[in-house]
Amino acid sequence: MATERISLRRLSLLTIFVLVLGLVCASHGMAAEQAVASSAASFPDLYEASIAELQEGLEKGHFTSVDLVKAYFARIEEVNLQGPTLRAVLETNPSALKQAAELDLERRLIGPRGPLHGIPILLKDNIATLHSEGMNTTAGSFALLGSVVPRDAHVAAKLRAAGAILLGKANLSEWAHFRGNVPSGFSGRGGQATSAYVPLGDPSGSSSGSGIGTSIGLTAAALGTETDGSIISPSNMNNLVGIKPTVGLTSRAGVIPISAHQDTVGPMARSVADAAVVLSIIAGRDPRDNFTLAQPPIVPDYTKALKADGLKGVRLGVPRKFFTRTNANIVAAFNASLDTIRNLGATIVDPADFPDFAELEASRNETIVTQTDFKVGINQYIAELLSVPTGVKTLADLIAFNTAHADEELVQPFWTDQSEFISSENTSVNQAFFDAVAADKDLGATRGIDGTLKAFKLDALLLPSAVAPGPAAIAGYPIITVPLGFLPPNTTLAPAQPTRSSGPNQPFGLAFMGTAFSEFDLISFAFAYEQATHTRLKQLAFSEAIPKTQLADVAGK
């Protein structure tokens, strides 16, 4: 056995030596070839570049992943804390360029691992990444600055294994908008994020930075999280495709929690195809999140759902009673979209209202569930950290920390509230909590989404994205949103308090909602609509918010 170990050790050393020699030679050859390829290449515009386009350029040697990271870093630098100061990104990954170089060499020697090989992805700052890599995981709060996580979040690990580059951490509504009544997009660490479509506009949240950053090409795509609206709403307001997966399709392990019953992680992207690629990578079972054990045993390849005829023969229902508080321009655009969808072969049942709509609207069970879940979940998350320099250990400590550091966290005049924290601290896991969990499932799923689908023999529900999140949140069911339109250019610019609630050219989306684990079908429906309309580029961000740096500025240099 000892002789075998010595032989294996020698073989390993020899293998490493040959590999290192190969890498050195390959890197010289690749640099020369890339310089030639770059000089003759036409580069995709990073404002809109798809993952497939980026992958094609990488494969052809027109540019490298190092070039991509440099270009995205430069674009972030232009608009994040300078110019329009969008405050979309909390921090960039100091290891990203090193990782990109390693992935470039791996591509050269072995080939790509898959569609995300060498592709930079931005992560919301409640998704843990290895502390040794150089990034924090804080939910935007100074209370967790410098804390050491035990490992990557499961979704981050899956991205990393697929060859993605973790580009940085996106700003967010602090604590995923669960601290209190605070404007969307504000965090103590990141300040107030704003839209790239309306100057000082509300970016929505809580995945605000993921939405802003993806909307103007500061990243190829991003991950967000949703408890109730936090992927769908910022995707809606930032002209993006967003997928809020079924609770249990993507692991929440290593994600700073709000509610075990409602939290989910999903992609935010500029196209349905890109969102499908990312979801295919991050979905799957994880022993650290028992909700994932309820999903089907095989994760679909969601890119196979990308069918231009995906709406042919489909029955979609319109739950009109949810529209009562919706902007008239949005309702008009939604109504016009129904003709497009019919022309693509779908049958529209309108109205197809929830049988339990009145009960659903009156219910306050979600508040009981999320506030109780948060106290349990956040205390557990902090307890599993390897180090917390601020010394906080519990939700009560977080409340005290904010009070003691009010100049950083409870900032006058708009960001002073932590009432959600205080209400959550006053909860306990009791019979009222268990009753609320059961009631939510009954109202949202059994008699809500599933009841409506069954009553009208529907494949999915169709509604403006602005009103879509609620029932799916308490049911734990999936939604996909795609760009639908923009408020008219003559829309009154709302006052900045501190952000503007609306303004000219503000985007809005169209949502497809379904039963548990119906993502494949929803992606198919959304893709067919997207390909027939191509709405996203009908309105660009305001000019100052569009970064100028392109791949041509960095490739081969």
Side-chain angles (χ1 to χ4, degrees):
M1 288 295 290
T3 305
E4 278 185 23
R5 282 197 296 271
I6 292 169
S7 298
L8 285 170
R9 193 177 300 120
R10 287 174 177 168
L11 183 60
S12 298
L13 290 170
L14 180 61
T15 303
I16 292 168
F17 175 76
V18 171
L19 180 59
V20 169
L21 185 63
L23 291 176
V24 171
C25 295
S27 64
H28 285 296
M30 183 168 64
E33 286 183 22
Q34 197 233 329
V36 173
S38 296
S39 64
S42 61
F43 300 103
D45 184 345
L46 292 179
Y47 182 92
E48 192 64 13
S50 69
I51 289 172
E53 287 175 315
L54 295 176
Q55 200 61 251
E56 181 183 15
L58 290 167
E59 277 296 285
K60 289 181 176 178
H62 293 168
F63 51 87
T64 65
S65 291
V66 167
D67 293 331
L68 262 183
V69 171
K70 287 180 178 178
Y72 283 134
F73 277 178
R75 290 171 71 84
I76 292 168
E77 182 72 17
E78 285 183 64
V79 299
N80 196 53
L81 298 180
Q82 300 181 54
T85 58
L86 300 178
R87 298 185 180 274
V89 180
L90 274 176
E91 55 187 289
T92 54
N93 185 353
S95 302
L97 284 168
K98 177 176 177 289
Q99 292 170 13
E102 292 168 352
L103 288 161
D104 283 333
L105 288 171
E106 182 181 325
R107 179 188 298 276
R108 177 74 174 178
L109 289 175
I110 305 171
R113 300 181 195 180
L116 287 185
H117 187 109
I119 301 294
I121 304 290
L122 199 59
L123 304 185
K124 186 176 180 179
D125 183 45
N126 59 352
I127 299 172
T129 52
L130 295 171
H131 188 263
S132 59
E133 187 174 54
M135 290 192 291
N136 288 285
T137 304
T138 67
S141 171
F142 284 105
L144 292 186
L145 187 62
S147 61
V148 180
V149 299
R151 64 189 72 84
D152 271 334
H154 188 72
V155 289
K158 286 177 80 71
L159 285 175
R160 204 187 293 279
I165 298 163
L166 307 186
L167 186 68
K169 291 295 183 72
N171 198 5
L172 71 166
S173 306
E174 189 175 294
W175 297 105
H177 215 161
F178 211 75
R179 193 188 81 185
N181 185 18
V182 177
S184 289
F186 170 81
S187 72
R189 287 188 61 215
Q192 179 64 61
T194 56
S195 167
Y197 285 86
V198 176
L200 297 180
D202 178 7
S204 191
S206 63
S207 305
S208 313
S210 299
I212 301 161
T214 305
S215 75
I216 53 173
L218 306 186
T219 178
L223 290 191
T225 66
E226 177 151 332
T227 307
D228 187 338
S230 289
I231 290 171
I232 297 305
S233 189
S235 295
N236 170 67
M237 296 277 273
N238 289 283
N239 199 21
L240 294 176
V241 173
I243 300 177
K244 179 253 177 174
T246 305
V247 173
L249 182 67
T250 54
S251 172
R252 291 84 49 84
V255 177
I256 298 174
I258 291 178
S259 170
H261 294 91
Q262 294 185 200
D263 292 350
T264 186
V265 184
M268 300 169 71
R270 292 182 290 272
S271 69
V272 177
D274 285 356
V277 167
V278 176
L279 184 61
S280 296
I281 298 299
I282 63 171
R285 296 183 174 188
D286 174 16
R288 287 194 173 92
D289 182 352
N290 63 352
F291 278 68
T292 65
L293 305 182
Q295 69 178 264
I298 298 174
V299 175
D301 177 355
Y302 292 108
T303 65
K304 287 184 165 53
L306 303 175
K307 302 171 184 175
D309 65 350
L311 283 165
K312 189 175 181 180
V314 170
R315 282 176 62 87
L316 301 175
V318 179
R320 285 272 167 190
K321 288 184 180 179
F322 286 106
F323 295 17
T324 54
R325 295 181 296 275
T326 307
N327 181 293
N329 291 293
I330 296 175
V331 175
F334 173 85
N335 290 340
S337 77
L338 298 182
D339 288 334
T340 301
I341 291 168
R342 288 187 188 98
N343 290 337
L344 291 168
T347 297
I348 304 291
V349 180
D350 183 9
D353 285 312
F354 282 36
D356 65 342
F357 176 80
E359 285 181 77
L360 192 64
E361 286 288 281
S363 172
R364 294 295 174 262
N365 290 303
E366 181 179 15
T367 300
I368 297 170
V369 172
T370 54
Q371 289 183 347
T372 308
D373 272 347
F374 181 73
K375 181 180 179 181
V376 173
I378 200 62
N379 288 349
Q380 181 179 346
Y381 175 86
I382 295 173
E384 292 176 359
L385 294 173
L386 303 182
S387 172
V388 186
T390 62
V392 297
K393 295 180 180 179
T394 64
L395 176 55
D397 291 343
L398 294 177
I399 295 168
F401 178 92
N402 290 339
T403 301
H405 300 83
D407 57 329
E408 293 178 315
E409 289 291 347
L410 307 181
V411 183
Q412 297 282 353
F414 300 107
W415 306 284
T416 61
D417 192 51
Q418 57 174 336
S419 58
E420 199 82 62
F421 268 16
I422 293 166
S423 295
S424 180
E425 174 60 22
N426 290 328
T427 64
S428 58
V429 178
N430 54 25
Q431 192 58 47
F433 166 73
F434 293 117
D435 290 345
V437 170
D440 270 355
K441 197 68 178 174
D442 178 56
L443 284 171
T446 307
R447 291 193 291 133
I449 295 172
D450 288 331
T452 307
L453 294 175
K454 184 177 179 181
F456 295 97
K457 299 180 173 58
L458 303 172
D459 296 293
L461 297 164
L462 185 67
L463 61 172
S465 300
V467 297
I474 63 172
Y477 281 4
I479 310 172
I480 181 168
T481 178
V482 292
L484 170 61
F486 309 86
L487 294 184
N490 63 354
T491 301
T492 300
L493 190 64
Q497 296 176 330
T499 55
R500 306 184 192 277
S501 59
S502 61
N505 307 318
Q506 180 176 286
F508 53 83
L510 175 71
F512 297 83
M513 180 194 301
T515 190
F517 303 112
S518 62
E519 285 84 357
F520 192 94
D521 289 340
L522 299 183
I523 288 168
S524 185
F525 307 156
F527 181 77
Y529 176 81
E530 174 198 56
Q531 294 304 297
T533 55
H534 295 288
T535 300
R536 195 183 120 77
L537 291 181
K538 291 177 181 177
Q539 177 62 55
L540 301 183
F542 65 89
S543 59
E544 295 84 356
I546 301 176
K548 306 298 186 291
T549 303
Q550 294 287 351
L551 278 163
D553 300 313
V554 299
K557 298 175 185 178

